[in-house]
Amino acid sequence: MHSESIVYGSIRDWPEGGSEARLLRQQHNARVLQELDGEAGWPFFSRGMFGVGQVAGDGLYQTQVISFGASYQAVEYEWSLWVEKFEALLRRLYWANAIVHLETELNGRHTFRWESDEGFHTPEDSQLSLRCEWEHEGAMRFR
């Protein structure tokens, strides 16, 4: 039996700006996520793992929250590539912060956070700031 890894998290827009500006950001983000396709030979990052998030008029108050999650076989061995793909997606979106949780059977839990120094990120920005926190709970399981 191979070890399982669970990846989940959220990408959050910022609530500032008029309702029209927020709606345009939300619609842009939804379009970008709808365009995602898994790459042949590397199925770890695809449209199916993302909840597009509400847009204004669909019960959304102000802040769009895009949720995501997936189960993998030992994705930590491909983690740098996963993060590279995720950051490429972040560069195309409007967001204020993003958080990714990686839960592994052997290496514990890791939390990765991206936050913009300006308080928000636009698709024109190239700088991303990553902070990693590591937690480990309990003993390792052996099979």
Side-chain angles (χ1 to χ4, degrees):
M1 181 68 87
H2 297 282
S3 65
E4 182 178 33
S5 305
I6 305 294
V7 176
Y8 64 95
S10 64
I11 303 167
R12 298 178 189 152
D13 189 15
W14 66 95
E16 274 78 32
S19 59
E20 186 174 323
R22 286 194 309 270
L23 178 60
L24 289 174
R25 291 194 313 262
Q26 295 158 12
Q27 289 172 337
H28 170 88
N29 287 352
R31 276 192 308 275
V32 168
L33 292 169
Q34 287 299 324
E35 294 169 359
L36 280 180
D37 279 325
E39 296 178 22
W42 206 82
F44 301 128
F45 197 81
S46 65
R47 171 181 34 210
M49 67 183 286
F50 289 90
V52 172
Q54 298 171 302
V55 295
D58 292 336
L60 175 70
Y61 176 56
Q62 290 184 354
T63 303
Q64 182 183 40
V65 178
I66 300 165
S67 60
F68 56 90
S71 168
Y72 302 104
Q73 179 181 325
V75 75
E76 58 270 27
Y77 296 107
E78 300 285 342
W79 190 245
S80 61
L81 185 55
W82 194 97
V83 168
E84 181 182 315
K85 301 286 185 186
F86 187 71
E87 287 185 338
L89 173 64
L90 288 179
R91 283 186 177 89
R92 298 176 57 202
L93 297 173
Y94 291 97
W95 55 274
N97 60 61
I99 187 166
V100 174
H101 300 281
L102 168 63
E103 296 182 3
T104 68
E105 289 184 8
L106 297 177
N107 296 314
R109 298 177 180 185
H110 304 260
T111 301
F112 300 83
R113 298 177 192 277
W114 287 260
E115 297 178 6
S116 172
D117 294 334
E118 293 81 28
F120 60 89
H121 179 274
T122 65
E124 297 81 28
D125 296 339
S126 61
Q127 294 291 343
L128 298 179
S129 176
L130 168 64
R131 188 176 76 206
C132 175
E133 301 169 0
W134 182 69
E135 311 168 12
H136 188 75
E137 294 180 5
M140 292 194 295
R141 291 187 280 172
F142 295 98
R143 295 180 188 206

